Structure formats: structure tokens, C-alpha cells
Amino acid sequence: MPLVSMRQLLDEAAKGGYGVGAFNVNDMEQIQAIMMAAKETRSPVIVQASRGARQFAEDLYLFRLIQAAAELNPEIPIAMHQDHGNSFETCKSAIALGYTSVMMDGSLKEDGKTPSSFEENVDVTRRVVDYAHERGVTVEGEIGVLGGVEDGHGAGGSGLDHITDPDQAVEFAEKTGVDALAIAIGTSHGAYKFTKKPDGSVLKMDVLIAIHKRLPHTHLVMHGSSSVPKDLQDEINKDGGKLNETWGVPVEEIQLGIRNGVRKINVDTDNRLAITGAIRKVFAETPEKFDPRDYLKPAREAMKKVVALRMTQFGQAGHAGDYAPIPITEIAKGYANGTLSTQPLVAAK
Ligand SMILES: [Zn+2]
């Protein structure tokens, strides 16, 4: 199957009432782990690359691997997404490679660190939407600012510093025409999200629900949504790792989000933990081994297990065969003639 439009994938998820995991990749083993999980659970999937990943793997290596994944798994709808694009140019270069979706994170300035003004965010996001939609490519925008830093991207503060204002979310969706909207509800990137199991004082599910009430048909995106389970932390620490105790976003909160308009859930940290734990185990238990396959294979298997579990928990499992992919050229026509809406339905307060 060719790479599909993320808009189509999310529209289908909305119809089916489920969420779709968006998993970050940097190398072949991670891509294979995701595809093994998607195949096993028959899930449509979003694969995403940050700027850091594109740099690490080099654009062409990474994109050719995704193309191989699509070719080898014709029964799986795959959207390839630029995670946290920092500028029009970054998004444009992803589209030139063949990515079917981009995130323009205009919540930060181009340095990927300094929070921008609302007007700056609207302006750059709108420009990316115009450019991308003409080419049938999906756009995710962000309003509010996530906490933490990942791959050098992020304001670095607490997740509570810039919680999304529902009125601003409505205005942003109207002014930009984005297909999906990332919101800040207290989550942070990286492993250290919460210092205890999060409650409503730090994880603002009420804000998410308020935004969904105003924008009932807008696809919401949860960033920084690894669950950082204790068993994955223990696995690392047992074999010489030194992670401090930390809490992520509980799966049941993500499921509450999915019942309230969340269609894309970004997961990276959980996979990183699974990979590192598996490699440490091989090193600790069989220090005589030196063939990289001896630890990359269990690492890939450990990530596959986490991804397959999330696919089941998010509800995307079993939905791979629900629909045929619409060619990207047809998606572009849909944006142009208005059959694919770019104006949100706004409910009264
Ligand atoms: Zn993010």
C-alpha cells in the first residue's frame, strides 16, 4: 500500500471511535518493530520522525526504510509524519521527500525553544497548511506549549506553564485550517513527566474535554503520552541503569482522551525504555557476546511488544483492513473543492 494521508487515517479513526498511536523512529529496527506490531494486531499506524531523527539517520536512509515498510506490508495503512517541524522550510523538505503529514509546531519560534506569540503561530501554521494541502499533505498544529525537551526541541519548562486555552484553540483551528490539533494539558516530553501518579491538578483532562466540547469534530493530538510503566524502568535499573522514579500518562487517561476527540497519541519514551532495558539485559547476562544482532533482536522484540500493547489499548487494532487508501492527489483535490473540510465545526459555549 502506498503511504496514506494522515487526514484519512484520522477521519477513519474518528468514525470508528478509536485512537492511533504515532511512534517515533530513528533506525531500521524501530521501523521493523512497529511494522511487526501493526501486522500482528492488524493496525493502521502513524510513523513519525523528529528533526533529530532525520539528522541522525539521514533523510534518504530513513525515508527509503519507510517506503520498504509500506511495500512489505501492503495490508497496513501507514502515514509518515514529520514530528515537531520548527519552520516552513522543515515542513517543505519533509513534503519534498514524500511524507504524507507534517506537524508545524508554531507554538515555539524557529529555534524550537522560545515560546512564540499567538499571531506568529497562526501565521506560520497557515502558510504550511496552504502549501501542504495543495499537495494533499496533512497538517498538525500546536496551541499551548508542551513541557520538557526532546531531541533538543522544547521550551524546557513544566507542562503546566502554557496550558491550552479552549477559546484560543477554537480561534487557532479557525484561522489555520489544520487537520489535527496538538494541545498542552500538562504533559511533557521525555521520561520525567510527573513526580507521582498524575491527578487532575497536573494532568488537565478537564481542559481536553472542554476543548473537545467546543471543537467536536477536530482531531486532537496528545503529545508526551508515554505511560513510562514501572516494569520498563525496573528492567533498566536492574541491569545497571540509573533512572530516577517517574510517572507518565496512565493508559486509562489516554483512553478517556480517545473518548473525547483524541485521535493521535504520540509515544516515544516507552519504546526507548523497552529497547534500552532489553540491551542492558543481554549485556548484563551474557557479557561475552559482541554480535550486535544478539542485542538488537531482543531490543526490537521488546519494542514490538510495547507497540502492540498500545495499539490494542488505543483501539486501532483490527482496523487495518477497514478502508482503501485514497491517493494523495485525490486528497489534494478534496481540500481544493471543499469535500475535505478545513474549517472546524464550533459548538457554542
Ligand atoms: Zn511532541
Side-chain angles (χ1 to χ4, degrees):
M1 187 180 294
L3 294 173
V4 305
S5 146
M6 189 171 86
R7 170 68 183 266
Q8 186 192 6
L9 212 135
L10 298 183
D11 283 351
E12 289 289 339
K15 270 191 236 165
Y18 58 89
V20 183
F23 304 100
N24 287 76
V25 294
N26 300 276
D27 61 27
M28 180 184 76
E29 287 78 6
Q30 290 176 315
I31 293 169
Q32 289 176 324
I34 295 168
M35 295 321 299
M36 285 155 64
K39 207 175 168 133
E40 185 180 288
T41 61
R42 296 178 45 249
S43 297
V45 70
I46 301 163
V47 178
Q48 59 185 13
S50 65
R51 279 186 294 138
R54 287 178 56 187
Q55 222 165 36
F56 170 80
E58 288 187 48
D59 272 338
L60 208 51
Y61 281 119
L62 199 61
F63 193 70
R64 292 277 202 267
L65 285 168
I66 298 295
Q67 286 179 314
E71 203 174 315
L72 291 169
N73 298 275
E75 72 284 18
I76 305 290
I78 309 170
M80 184 61 203
H81 176 76
Q82 164 77 54
D83 191 19
H84 290 285
N86 63 321
S87 66
F88 179 85
E89 286 307 318
T90 298
C91 295
K92 193 176 160 191
S93 67
I95 294 168
L97 276 166
Y99 283 44
T100 57
S101 180
V102 292
M103 176 186 193
M104 178 60 235
D105 179 0
S107 73
L108 301 175
K109 290 181 189 279
E110 197 171 331
D111 65 7
K113 291 181 176 63
T114 318
S116 63
S117 70
F118 179 75
E119 291 70 27
E120 285 172 304
N121 190 357
V122 166
D123 179 59
V124 68
T125 306
R126 178 78 239 175
R127 283 204 296 137
V128 171
V129 167
D130 288 342
Y131 183 85
H133 282 183
E134 238 173 78
R135 292 157 180 81
V137 172
T138 310
V139 180
E140 173 186 340
E142 176 169 321
I143 183 73
V145 182
L146 271 286
V149 180
E150 193 165 47
D151 279 358
H153 183 100
S158 145
L160 294 171
D161 287 351
H162 304 276
I163 295 285
T164 305
D165 169 59
D167 288 332
Q168 239 184 22
V170 170
E171 198 184 336
F172 184 79
E174 286 178 326
K175 287 189 165 158
T176 59
V178 288
D179 301 282
L181 186 61
I183 53 173
I185 53 167
T187 65
S188 297
H189 291 120
Y192 299 101
K193 300 181 194 299
F194 302 108
T195 52
K196 59 183 172 64
K197 189 175 174 188
D199 57 22
S201 67
V202 288
L203 180 59
K204 303 281 186 191
M205 295 306 290
D206 56 332
V207 173
L208 184 149
I209 291 167
I211 294 168
H212 175 58
K213 281 207 174 114
R214 299 289 311 282
L215 294 168
H217 293 302
T218 298
H219 304 313
L220 301 180
V221 183
M222 281 176 79
H223 278 246
S225 288
S226 277
S227 300
V228 200
K230 188 162 182 329
D231 59 325
L232 293 183
Q233 297 179 45
D234 290 348
E235 196 68 41
I236 289 177
N237 288 340
K238 153 171 95 62
D239 290 318
K242 277 195 180 138
L243 291 177
N244 294 321
E245 200 173 29
T246 176
W247 278 263
V249 182
V251 168
E252 60 270 22
E253 301 289 356
I254 296 171
Q255 289 168 332
L256 172 65
I258 293 168
R259 291 196 294 278
N260 287 281
V262 170
R263 298 294 159 231
K264 174 173 181 272
I265 305 104
N266 288 7
V267 175
D268 189 3
T269 295
D270 286 351
N271 293 326
R272 294 178 172 196
L273 293 173
I275 288 169
T276 300
I279 291 176
R280 277 196 178 277
K281 190 172 156 67
V282 174
F283 286 173
E285 290 176 2
T286 46
E288 72 281 6
K289 288 196 167 168
F290 62 90
D291 181 340
R293 288 170 298 187
D294 287 336
Y295 51 86
L296 292 178
K297 208 172 155 190
R300 184 173 64 185
E301 187 60 30
M303 173 165 162
K304 186 213 94 174
K305 260 176 72 183
V306 173
V307 173
L309 179 63
R310 295 288 176 268
M311 286 171 161
T312 306
Q313 291 166 330
F314 299 163
Q316 75 210 77
H319 288 286
D322 289 1
Y323 48 93
I326 303 169
I328 294 295
T329 48
E330 288 303 309
I331 297 278
K333 281 185 205 159
Y335 285 125
N337 66 24
T339 48
L340 276 177
S341 66
T342 53
Q343 270 305 297
L345 185 89
V346 180
K349 270 199 234 187

